[in-house]
Amino acid sequence: RVRDSVLAHDRVRRNVDLTNESSTAVTIPNTDTVTDVRQTNTLTDPKKQVEKVPKEVPLKVFVQRDYSLGTECKFDTSYPTKLEDVVPRETFTDTINKINELFARAEELNCPTYTEGCLSCMTGYLLYFCIETRYTKEMKQISMFVQRQNDEIYHPRGVHVVEPMLRGLRCIEFIVYPKPNKRV
């Protein structure tokens, strides 16, 4: 067994010595197989060439969280300059303000929220198998609002708003798709 591994090692060493500098020999442990791995130049090898990327890539604009009032979930309402020719300022501000309002409503503490928390604790959190939490209901409202805004306002303009929940509540992403070039 030792002799076989020494012979395999010797074969690998001889294989490395015989090959040029741009290749290496790899041996798989506990086997006698030796694989020759050569570095290929992707510019000259047509099989390795990457397909051409379209010239125009969608523009992504991120609206960050506003932490000026603490850690409550609120997004910055300042208008990004990259959206100037695509979305009117009032539309953008109305959308962000409504999302901020829905998040404030989801996070407010009131009697139903405390009651839900106490009942869930007393039932060993089995209550959540029977009912949907207030916070989850509000997240669904935000999701439906963003979808409605996309369908009615943003998609006809070539813009898509990504739900903040999909970005970990860190930002709201606006994806601006390039207008198709018209060929004559």
Side-chain angles (χ1 to χ4, degrees), residues 42 45-53:
T42 57
D45 189 1
K47 294 179 184 176
K48 300 282 184 172
Q49 286 182 351
V50 180
E51 292 180 23
K52 292 184 179 179
V53 179

Side-chain angles (χ1 to χ4, degrees), residues 16-151:
V16 170
D17 292 341
L18 296 175
T19 58
N20 59 18
E21 294 178 9
S22 67
S23 67
T24 59
V26 178
T27 183
I28 301 170
N30 299 328
T31 63
D32 289 336
T33 58
V34 176
T35 307
D36 188 22
V37 180
R38 297 190 195 285
Q39 297 174 350
T40 58
N41 188 350
T42 57
L43 296 175
T44 59
D45 189 1
K47 294 179 184 176
K48 300 282 184 172
Q49 286 182 351
V50 180
E51 292 180 23
K52 292 184 179 179
V53 179
K55 291 182 182 179
E56 295 187 44
V57 178
L59 173 69
K60 294 184 178 187
V61 180
F62 297 93
V63 177
Q64 301 295 326
R65 287 264 303 261
D66 181 12
Y67 291 102
S68 63
L69 298 174
T71 58
E72 70 183 37
C73 192
K74 182 179 178 185
F75 295 95
D76 191 15
T77 56
S78 61
Y79 186 68
T81 57
K82 294 180 180 179
L83 292 177
E84 280 182 357
D85 297 334
V86 183
V87 178
R89 183 181 299 267
E90 298 81 28
T91 304
F92 171 81
T93 306
D94 290 344
T95 301
I96 299 298
N97 285 336
K98 181 65 175 175
I99 291 173
N100 285 340
E101 178 185 313
L102 290 170
F103 271 113
R105 191 168 47 170
E107 293 179 350
E108 73 182 359
L109 299 175
N110 51 24
C111 188
T113 306
Y114 288 119
T115 304
E116 181 183 294
C118 290
L119 285 175
S120 63
C121 187
M122 289 190 307
T123 61
Y125 296 96
L126 295 174
L127 178 70
Y128 292 139
F129 288 119
C130 304
I131 67 166
E132 194 173 50
T133 64
R134 231 177 115 267
Y135 189 79
T136 305
K137 290 177 188 176
E138 291 297 329
M139 291 299 116
K140 286 184 179 179
Q141 288 287 335
I142 294 169
S143 179
M144 288 188 323
F145 172 74
V146 170
Q147 184 61 43
R148 203 170 47 248
Q149 289 290 99
N150 277 331
D151 293 339

